[in-house]
Amino acid sequence: MSLPGLRVIPVASAPGADFRLTSVHDLISIGELSRQTSLSQKALRIYDARGLLRPACTDERTGFRYYGREEIARSRRIALLRAIGMSLEQVGQVLDAPDGPSAAALVAQYWRHCEHSHHARVPLVAQLQEELMTGTQSTFALAHRTLPEQKVISIHGYADAAALPTFIPQACEELFDLLRKERLPLAGPPFVVFHSLVSEDAPGVVEVCAPTEGVVAPAGRIGVRLEPAHAEVYAAVRAADRSYPSVLGAHHAVAGWLQGHDRALSGPAREIDHPNSLDPTPDALISDVAYPHLCGRACNTLPTTAWPDPRWTDR
């Protein structure tokens, strides 16, 4: 059986990409599908190219796409998933789930992440409102210190904000495993260096570092280098503000101070763990956001702290 001027193509939503014939009377054009679902024709073509929504049939002469009942239902589901903010990759994962409960679980997992991200933005909203109303830049308490040269073992990676909560702990565990294997001490707080911008939309180069002493050789993806001595301005971060994007408030505060005092950076920004970095108490100070810089007289306006930090040595 065939339809005049039409060729039947695999249906993406059918198991094993089965071939299915659809009555010509059941088909609607891409324009009609767009009107029924409020999805633009451009979006529908993108979904076709990404394999999310294949037309039931395509006219061999004109290339026009035609959709049947299954595609209409699938397109409406895509529209709902996109309406809650899911990316096309996430939509595909839900559509490809083996059953309804699995698909629903993926939606629930996504929404928990959304709620967490929304909660993390609340302090940033308050900080931004305060800056706009008063002209003051931050409520973060800033301090200044000088660090000696350190030997570190480190792992470089390329990650966006969503990948950091997975990448950083995994890299730390690899570094700690090497220290245990070589019977070397952890000589200071682990820290993460951001060699380029990292955001929700822009992955960047991230380096996870563990200071140590003694002789150690590179192993696999673990490198060894010297972290230069430097001065840095830093802000302590509470547990409640550590996750992205809340931590941007501390970055903004430190970078804003340096810019306001014409201090040039001498190295990339970093986040330094405290010994109590896993303390879940919201107000516990668990890390520092620090910016190495070329020191000047303006630094004398900030409290100066010693290194090693007693929070680390007294652990």
Side-chain angles (χ1 to χ4, degrees):
M1 177 181 177
S2 62
L3 302 176
L6 297 177
R7 62 181 175 85
V8 181
I9 65 171
V11 179
S13 58
D18 293 337
F19 286 81
R20 175 171 57 81
L21 290 175
T22 303
S23 168
V24 69
H25 302 293
D26 294 332
L27 300 176
I28 62 173
S29 68
I30 190 173
E32 180 59 29
L33 181 63
S34 176
R35 284 188 288 274
Q36 289 192 23
T37 61
S38 298
L39 295 169
S40 70
Q41 294 187 40
K42 178 181 179 181
L44 292 171
R45 294 187 184 98
I46 291 174
Y47 300 161
D48 184 2
R50 295 286 293 267
L52 294 176
L53 183 66
R54 299 289 194 190
C57 301
T58 302
D59 190 305
E60 291 181 332
R61 293 177 292 105
T62 65
F64 289 170
R65 297 168 172 85
Y66 293 91
Y67 300 83
R69 291 189 181 93
E70 288 187 22
E71 291 74 42
I72 295 171
R74 187 177 175 92
S75 65
R76 286 175 174 156
R77 181 156 295 172
I78 291 173
L80 290 175
L81 294 170
R82 292 291 280 164
I84 65 171
M86 276 192 163
S87 66
L88 292 182
E89 180 180 0
Q90 292 165 328
V91 168
Q93 291 171 353
V94 173
L95 296 177
D96 293 339
D99 50 45
S102 299
L106 288 173
V107 173
Q109 179 183 10
Y110 164 77
W111 196 248
R112 284 194 299 271
H113 173 74
C114 287
E115 291 178 327
H116 174 76
S117 297
H118 176 76
H119 179 73
R121 289 182 172 91
V122 171
L124 287 180
V125 173
Q127 179 180 340
L128 181 58
Q129 289 176 317
E130 182 68 17
E131 287 187 17
L132 292 172
M133 292 176 63
T134 67
T136 57
Q137 283 203 330
S138 171
T139 57
F140 280 90
L142 304 183
H144 178 266
R145 64 190 170 205
T146 302
L147 277 67
E149 181 181 79
Q150 299 181 89
K151 177 186 289 184
V152 300
I153 57 173
S154 68
I155 292 175
H156 284 79
Y158 193 66
D160 60 15
L164 289 179
T166 300
F167 170 73
I168 293 174
Q170 288 178 346
C172 281
E173 192 57 37
E174 286 186 47
L175 297 175
F176 298 158
D177 283 345
L178 179 62
L179 293 179
R180 286 190 288 264
K181 177 182 176 182
E182 299 295 331
R183 297 184 178 180
L184 292 172
L186 181 63
F191 59 96
V192 180
V193 179
F194 298 93
H195 291 281
S196 56
L197 174 68
V198 175
S199 71
E200 293 168 314
D201 303 315
V205 179
V206 181
E207 182 187 15
V208 181
C209 303
T212 191
E213 297 171 346
V215 178
V216 59
R221 66 172 183 163
I222 299 177
V224 182
R225 69 175 180 86
L226 290 177
E227 172 69 14
H230 62 270
E232 63 185 25
V233 172
Y234 69 95
V237 177
R238 303 181 309 144
D241 298 330
R242 182 174 190 174
S243 61
Y244 186 91
S246 290
V247 72
L248 291 180
H251 281 270
H252 177 71
V254 179
W257 188 92
L258 291 172
Q259 182 182 20
H261 292 82
D262 295 322
R263 294 293 90 206
L265 291 177
S266 62
R270 67 272 323 274
E271 295 176 11
I272 305 169
D273 272 350
H274 294 185
N276 60 335
S277 60
L278 299 180
D279 190 331
T281 309
D283 289 330
L285 297 176
I286 61 170
S287 65
D288 293 337
V289 167
Y291 280 54
H293 69 101
L294 301 176
C295 198
R297 285 181 296 179
C299 301
N300 297 331
T301 65
L302 294 175
T304 299
T305 59
W307 189 267
D309 192 316
R311 291 171 300 184
W312 176 259
T313 56
D314 295 343
R315 68 192 188 283

